[in-house]
Amino acid sequence: MDTTDSTHSTWTSNRNRRRLTLMAPLVLLPLAACGSERVDGGSGSVRASVTGVRWSVDSVTVDGTIRRAPAGAYTEFADGRVRGSYGCNQFSARAVFDGHRLTLEDAETTEMGCAREPMAFERVLARTLADGPLTTRVHGGELTLGTESGDFVRLSEEPDAPLRGTKWIITALGAGGPDGTAASLPGGAAPYLVFDEKSGRVTGSLGCNRVTAKATVRDAHITLGTAATTRRVCDVSLMHTEKSLLRLFDGPVGYRLDHRSLTLTSENGEWVGAVAEP
């Protein structure tokens, strides 16, 4: 896969303002409706159906071809705005409800480069969401957004992921704190961490070698002990990623948990971004 070694995550205004229109279908329900399907009947119910829920993007279907979403792609509506991730870059926009329509205005997005596959999915998702009006259907914790041409995006409601017991898939490394520059991982790297409450340890993979260490969680910090690893030798790029991850150990790291995203930040400002395994 192609990767971009360094990126910046400064929010930039989208010059060509992307407007996304979500149209709810007008359907008359029988008196004995079954299941948990909800059909939006007005601007208030449209807002209520999508607001306050973390919608994980499952897939996008364009011209009959299904493209599965990378881990971490989502949308979330709150306080008159929508924010989320296309699969690589974060985005935010103003959400304006008007009857059965929802328009997203003044969109902003980060400009982080990722591996080829997430970037390809991101382009398809962004184009599909911009191809309004979109019909909306909420049923059994699933949301479907469909275009007039027959393409559609499938999303599902996901609960918050706990710090402990979750397999945290590492997706980015950065410096200068969580709001600083970020770099995606090299192709073939699949590092992850799992914090176990019972044993008080963290285990996982650094991309090449497996790792285990003591992990004490207190307040907003995790104190990581000395890392014990296997001794495999891998590709230079994987070993470089591994060395970066090892610098998190032997000391305290701050952590920030946001629904299904986790950020670990060392005292020198280096940070690791991870998402919960789907």
Side-chain angles (χ1 to χ4, degrees), residues 87 152 214 244:
F152 55 91
K214 185 177 179 180
S244 297

Side-chain angles (χ1 to χ4, degrees), residues 108-124:
E108 298 176 332
T109 181
T110 56
E111 293 182 341
M112 187 172 74
C114 292
R116 178 183 298 172
E117 188 173 348
M119 290 300 293
F121 179 86
E122 178 168 303
R123 288 190 289 270
V124 173

Side-chain angles (χ1 to χ4, degrees), residues 186-203:
Y192 69 90
L193 296 173
V194 178
F195 295 91
D196 183 71
E197 182 174 14
K198 185 176 181 179
S199 66
R201 301 187 69 81
V202 60
T203 59

Side-chain angles (χ1 to χ4, degrees), residues 13-23 77 82 86 91-98 101-108 125-134 145-147:
S13 296
N14 188 337
R15 293 182 179 179
N16 297 318
R17 178 179 300 172
R18 179 177 294 133
R19 297 194 173 196
L20 314 181
T21 306
L22 309 183
M23 178 174 286
F77 296 87
V82 59
Y86 290 129
F91 72 91
S92 175
R94 189 163 64 96
V96 180
F97 291 89
D98 182 13
R101 299 176 181 272
L102 170 63
T103 303
L104 305 185
E105 299 181 341
D106 303 324
E108 298 176 332
L125 176 59
R127 285 198 303 266
T128 304
L129 291 178
D131 187 16
L134 304 176
L145 309 176
T147 71

Side-chain angles (χ1 to χ4, degrees), residues 170-174 193 244-245 248 262-265 270-274:
I170 297 171
T171 57
L173 303 174
L193 296 173
S244 297
L245 292 173
L248 290 174
L262 173 67
T263 304
L264 302 175
T265 307
E270 290 185 290
W271 60 273
V272 169

Side-chain angles (χ1 to χ4, degrees), residues 64-79:
T65 300
I66 300 174
R67 294 171 172 83
R68 300 295 178 185
Y74 75 95
T75 62
E76 189 172 45
F77 296 87
D79 301 323

